[in-house]
Amino acid sequence: GSPENTDAGIGAVYVFERDSSGWHETQILLPDVQIQQDMFFGWSVDVNAAGDVIVVGGKMDFTCGAGGCPAWVFTRDVTATPPAQWQLAQKLTPHYTTAYDHFGAAVGIDKNDDTIVIGAFQAGVMKGGTTYANAGAAFVFARDAPQSWSSNWTQLGCPTDCDKGLLVAVEDVSLSEFRFGQSLDIDNGVIAVNALVNHAVSAGTGVTTTVYVFTRNDTTDVSSAWSLAAKISKPPDVGNTAWNPYFANDVLVDGDTIVTTSTQTGVRAAFVFARLVSGDPQAAWVQTAKLQHGYANDANLPGDATGFDNSFGTSAAVSGDTIVVGARIAQTTGFGKGAVFVYTKDDLSDPLSSWSMQHQFSATGADALVNLDADETLGLIDPISYFGYNVAIDGEQIMVGAPGNLGIA
């Protein structure tokens, strides 16, 4: 995604595909209409396992009027040839909206059945007759015919019982300023959603930044409702600040593993949680690791020791037994160069295994198989590249974003 690819902030998504000769840009996805400036189309992007569905969200800091701000679903017609291969299949909107709710700031699609979940972290939420400002919500959309490229998505329960497809923070306190849904992920019938609780508002409630884990009531039915299965609270070494998004700045789920990132000074880390019983929707989740940098030169990393913020935990990705963590302004050869760290499980047979760092990449480009840019003409890594701003992993392939001034992945 390139949410700020124009001065107006309309945004775009660039599609790269690989063939026998390498990676090539095949299409640019754009919103079908320009609602107004600062749509930031491409703020969030996810692709299904089959590679034939792309979900795109924006971070629109305005009200979109009747129907609310949408998220976009593109499907690939395998019978077509580029650039007409990807087509807008549907625009998704929630059953209710509130102004400036940021619907689409986070999106996810399940690799198994194409269920889509979309966050709106500043949505107002009604509970007990009271509407709580900036409580946040996540909306679940099921596909009419999973893995059928011509089928559509519908919010669960709509039009008669749309709350069936609505996820909110489950707490017996005021939900104001919870900002539930800033980051989320979905995989194999598990949805993990963060809540960036404002402690200045929730002081004395005992509620802290939390990850809420939801599972489908009927694992065989994509139209089944979802229920809260677990709450993962911040570890004790993550402090309480007035604004404390840091334990779960990013939330990732892959099978029986959940990863969260913390960018808080002194606690820059990625936390790994495992489900005690594989595939059991009601099984507890326990912390199995706290991943931190592994640089040989500790004078540069972490910045906590030197007063410099290296931003370890800026981004993260997980696939099977591998976790990738980005540090976008790590001082590898100068300010803003960035670095990426790769961790693997120590014991592949143990679901509660510890993890160890196996490799680190920097922004020199020397380790990259290929550098991707929107024009396929740039060959150098920007001196201030922010390498690690975003990361993704699929099998043995890792992709690293370096927006900098040149915009390379």
Side-chain angles (χ1 to χ4, degrees):
S2 181
E4 299 182 63
N5 77 317
T6 67
D7 292 338
I10 303 302
V13 171
Y14 296 84
V15 181
F16 293 83
E17 299 186 48
R18 184 174 57 179
D19 58 24
S20 58
S21 63
W23 289 88
H24 307 283
E25 179 187 316
T26 57
Q27 197 165 340
I28 301 175
L29 307 181
L30 299 169
D32 57 319
V33 294
Q34 179 182 333
I35 300 172
Q36 66 179 63
Q37 293 186 354
D38 299 331
M39 291 175 62
F40 300 124
F41 175 88
W43 186 274
S44 56
V45 180
D46 203 7
V47 184
N48 71 340
D52 57 11
V53 179
I54 298 175
V55 186
V56 181
K59 187 175 180 289
M60 291 168 272
D61 196 15
F62 51 81
T63 178
C64 296
C69 300
W72 292 260
V73 180
F74 296 84
T75 56
R76 181 166 61 177
D77 181 355
V78 295
T79 65
T81 57
Q85 195 173 22
W86 290 91
Q87 301 173 354
L88 177 64
Q90 193 174 354
K91 291 195 292 185
L92 304 180
T93 54
H95 71 286
Y96 81 92
T97 61
T98 55
Y100 312 107
D101 59 9
H102 289 310
F103 177 83
V107 300
I109 183 168
D110 196 308
K111 293 192 291 286
N112 288 336
D113 57 32
D114 294 343
T115 296
I116 293 173
V117 59
I118 302 174
F121 68 93
Q122 289 191 174
V125 170
M126 175 78 72
K127 187 180 78 169
T130 300
T131 298
Y132 294 99
N134 298 328
F139 300 85
V140 181
F141 297 81
R143 198 170 191 179
D144 300 336
Q147 300 176 347
S148 170
W149 74 270
S150 61
S151 62
N152 289 325
W153 284 259
T154 305
Q155 184 179 329
L156 287 185
C158 285
T160 57
D161 183 19
C162 293
D163 283 350
K164 183 179 179 181
L166 171 67
L167 306 180
V168 298
V170 181
E171 301 288 354
D172 293 326
V173 297
S174 168
L175 298 180
S176 292
E177 307 300 334
F178 261 57
R179 286 172 165 78
F180 174 94
Q182 178 269 343
S183 178
L184 52 78
D185 202 7
I186 179 172
D187 182 60
N188 198 25
V190 175
I191 294 175
V193 186
N194 72 349
L196 308 186
V197 180
N198 180 354
H199 285 269
V201 173
S202 61
T205 65
V207 177
T208 61
T209 302
T210 302
V211 173
Y212 298 83
V213 183
F214 299 85
T215 55
R216 191 182 277 121
N217 294 347
D218 183 346
T219 58
T220 65
D221 182 5
V222 295
S223 66
S224 174
W226 294 71
S227 298
L228 181 70
K231 289 194 289 186
I232 300 175
S233 299
K234 67 179 184 64
D237 56 353
V238 178
N240 291 323
T241 60
W243 286 97
N244 186 7
Y246 305 106
F247 154 59
N249 190 58
D250 269 339
V251 180
L252 299 310
V253 57
D254 184 81
D256 297 310
T257 303
I258 289 176
V259 178
T260 73
T261 61
S262 167
T263 55
Q264 182 182 12
T265 300
V267 200
R268 296 187 180 98
F271 298 91
V272 185
F273 301 86
R275 188 157 48 179
L276 284 176
V277 181
S278 177
D280 183 352
Q282 301 306 314
W285 295 78
V286 297
Q287 183 180 338
T288 59
K290 177 183 177 181
L291 310 181
Q292 294 183 292
H293 76 94
Y295 248 68
N297 183 359
D298 284 351
N300 286 335
L301 276 156
D304 308 332
T306 63
F308 185 86
D309 181 2
N310 73 79
S311 67
F312 180 91
T314 296
S315 59
V318 56
S319 177
D321 300 316
T322 304
I323 295 172
V324 184
V325 182
R328 67 182 176 89
I329 53 176
Q331 297 183 79
T332 54
T333 56
F335 176 82
K337 278 292 189 178
V340 168
F341 304 87
V342 181
Y343 301 82
T344 58
K345 263 186 179 181
D346 295 326
D347 184 350
L348 300 183
S349 64
D350 181 6
L352 304 182
S353 170
S354 56
W355 297 68
S356 298
M357 196 192 82
Q358 297 299 319
H359 200 84
Q360 63 193 39
F361 298 104
S362 64
T364 63
D367 292 317
L369 295 176
V370 62
N371 294 333
L372 305 180
D373 64 82
D375 299 316
E376 295 193 75
T377 58
L378 304 176
L380 299 176
I381 298 294
D382 191 9
I384 302 179
S385 64
Y386 301 124
F387 182 84
Y389 193 93
N390 278 305
V391 296
I393 180 172
D394 182 33
E396 301 298 321
Q397 299 285 328
I398 294 173
M399 181 171 288
V400 181
N405 293 326
L406 299 182
I408 296 176

